[in-house]
Amino acid sequence: MSSVLLRTTPAVRGALRAGALRPAAAAASTSFVRGKATLPDLQYDYGALEPYISGKIMELHHKKHHQTYVTGLNTALETIGEAESKGDFTKAATVAPLLNFHGGGHLNHTLFWENLAPASREGGGQPDGALLKSINEDFGSFDTFRKQMNTALAGIQGSGWAWLAKDKQSGTLGIITRANQDPVSGPYAPLMGIDAWEHAYYLQYENRKAEYFDAIWNVINWKTVASRFEKA
Amino acid sequence: MVNFGNIWQYLAVQSPLQATFSGNSTTMNIKTYSLPELPYAYDALEPHISGQIMKLHHSGHHQAYVTNLNKALKVHASALSAGDIAAQVALQPVIKFNAGGHINHALFWTNLAPAGTPETLFPDAAPTLSAEIDKTWGSFDKFKEAFAKELLGIQGSGWGWLVKAGPSSLRIVTAKDQDPIVGGEVPIFGVDMWEHAYYLQYLNGKAKYVDSIWNVINWKTAESRFQAGHGDFFADLKSLL
Ligand SMILES: [Fe+2]
Ligand SMILES: [Fe+2]
């Protein structure tokens, strides 16, 4: 069974987290070291989530969409850095929405790739242990949680995300939706996210988004979600 | 912190209305909206917008806004007669979203036309509007540049519109999701920037979609919306829906 493979698979998580902000390699000539966001590698092939998410979607989503957020984030950071060095704080403030959008896009997609896995490996099934216990306590059952998550996804008006999140103070779990690329932050720790932008499913599911929301449960990486749950 | 993103679930759980759905003798007369027919064939905008996109967009997406609008209005009418103020308030965003989707798409279909038809000829089909565009932006190219910049700057789903803000005042505005232009401004033409409007053909290349759409703008419709008074425009819109 896949759970055996799951336990012998080397840690998938560190690589992505470290990849989120990596110092530029050749920064020797500049007087300060600048952090640059880079596109993290996927821990599986583009086609590995088929038939639930097509390889073409994954490739465009990672190589094009996510890359655009990475590029946009670096541009926003640069603009803010320049504005700051000139004391132009008005300019810096006007870039804030771009920083939120592209920074959020980078963060959200990085978390998303990590909380997916091929159905033949860690993907799918149900969580176990402390995470399952918490889900049962806060939602009644895993099935109820799943239904509520799909209802939240279906109710998003426009582009956005739905997340299973943990309230860091109380420790309770809940479902949070976010518009566009607004990240989950503040008192909540994102455990598992599902991208509800049309680019995440349209080439395969067209306007039948409910089918995508149903299918994606086959490739949720509960091992990643459990580890986020424990650390949050 | 459970987020009731879906109003139907909210109403099913929270509202005493369910009891009034059936078996209530009070039936309010509310208008049922329907999907307007396209004034051209699905593939008539090719190669700029594919027939497959047009078909899904019209018979799938637009139809869903119409269906959900009718559903929401029906529940809202029951909430009105039941005096359920909480349900009425909870329904506002659903009505706005779906009515906006209906209005925006109805305006969109009629502000497009097959490339090469007289309607798409600029400036010939829009003599007074084109003059006003030149006055406002300096040239048609500069206007197109400014419009594209606004469209491509939308973060998420939304629309870009050329609107008439006063007797001779043009402006480019963007609106998120399905927020409609229903205030003091008259929308002259709009471009749908939801990914469903271009993804099957242009994938992530939305700049190319924006570039192509100029070939299928119905300048005749734009001209008549530009010339219409605020009241006339909204009377026309009503007849479209
Ligand atoms: Fe995405
Ligand atoms: Fe649309």
Side-chain angles (χ1 to χ4, degrees), chain A residues 16-33:
Chain A
L16 281 171
R17 194 156 293 123
L21 267 178
R22 189 182 289 160
S29 61
T30 49
S31 54
F32 58 98
V33 179

Side-chain angles (χ1 to χ4, degrees), chain A residues 60 64-65 97-98 101 148 151 155 157-159 165 167 172-175 177 180 188 197-199 202-203 206-207, chain B residues 1-3 5-6 9 52 56-57 60-61 93-94 97 154-157 177 194-197 199-200 203-204:
Chain A
L60 280 162
K64 302 290 186 184
H65 291 278
L98 286 169
F101 183 64
Q148 285 191 15
T151 305
Q157 297 181 337
S159 301
D167 186 317
T172 49
L173 299 179
I175 292 166
T177 58
N180 304 323
Y188 305 119
W197 281 59
E198 289 174 320
H199 65 237
Y202 210 81
L203 290 180
E206 299 176 340
N207 62 325
Chain B
M1 78 174 174
V2 171
N3 184 336
N6 184 305
Q9 186 195 33
Q52 192 194 7
L56 280 164
H57 203 170
H61 292 275
V94 189
F97 180 66
I154 293 172
Q155 297 181 343
S157 301
D177 305 327
W194 282 58
E195 290 173 319
H196 65 237
Y199 209 83
L200 291 179
L203 306 173
N204 62 311

Side-chain angles (χ1 to χ4, degrees), chain B:
Chain B
M1 78 174 174
V2 171
N3 184 336
F4 282 104
N6 184 305
I7 194 66
W8 312 116
Q9 186 195 33
Y10 169 80
L11 288 170
V13 175
Q14 302 285 330
S15 172
L17 274 179
Q18 258 187 328
T20 68
F21 287 160
S22 55
N24 192 329
S25 56
T26 338
T27 36
M28 265 203 195
N29 249 343
I30 53 165
K31 179 180 161 69
T32 303
Y33 292 91
S34 54
L35 184 67
E37 265 179 54
L38 282 193
Y40 38 77
Y42 283 136
D43 61 0
L45 305 186
E46 290 192 349
H48 308 293
I49 304 177
S50 76
Q52 192 194 7
I53 288 179
M54 289 302 293
K55 185 168 182 214
L56 280 164
H57 203 170
H58 178 257
S59 70
H61 292 275
H62 191 170
Q63 179 63 63
Y65 292 117
V66 172
T67 304
N68 291 329
L69 172 62
N70 287 329
K71 217 154 114 183
L73 289 175
K74 226 169 142 186
V75 182
H76 188 257
S78 307
L80 271 177
S81 60
D84 188 341
I85 190 84
Q88 288 169 49
V89 173
L91 278 159
Q92 301 293 318
V94 189
I95 293 172
K96 183 179 181 184
F97 180 66
N98 289 293
H102 185 30
I103 292 170
N104 290 337
H105 286 91
L107 290 173
F108 184 51
W109 309 136
T110 46
N111 72 223
L112 298 177
T117 55
E119 286 84 358
T120 60
L121 296 183
F122 187 91
D124 312 46
T128 64
L129 174 59
S130 63
E132 196 59 41
I133 285 175
D134 283 346
K135 224 172 89 190
T136 308
W137 282 279
S139 72
F140 183 48
D141 280 343
K142 280 197 185 134
F143 160 69
K144 285 203 289 191
E145 210 178 287
F147 197 71
K149 198 177 162 215
E150 287 294 322
L151 290 179
L152 297 174
I154 293 172
Q155 297 181 343
S157 301
W159 292 74
W161 296 93
L162 173 65
V163 303
K164 185 168 75 167
S168 65
S169 154
L170 292 177
R171 203 179 293 161
I172 299 164
V173 298
T174 59
K176 68 172 174 56
D177 305 327
Q178 294 297 357
D179 289 359
I181 311 288
V182 287
E185 295 157 336
V186 170
I188 293 171
F189 70 85
V191 176
D192 190 342
M193 289 306 289
W194 282 58
E195 290 173 319
H196 65 237
Y198 61 84
Y199 209 83
L200 291 179
Q201 185 175 0
Y202 294 94
L203 306 173
N204 62 311
K206 60 181 172 179
K208 241 182 136 193
Y209 160 68
V210 170
D211 222 34
S212 300
I213 205 149
W214 295 112
N215 294 295
V216 291
I217 294 295
N218 187 329
W219 288 106
K220 202 179 152 204
T221 298
E223 172 83 1
S224 77
R225 287 181 191 163
F226 174 63
Q227 291 195 348
H230 188 267
D232 290 340
F233 170 81
F234 283 95
D236 276 358
L237 171 62
K238 207 174 151 193
S239 71
L240 261 184
L241 305 173

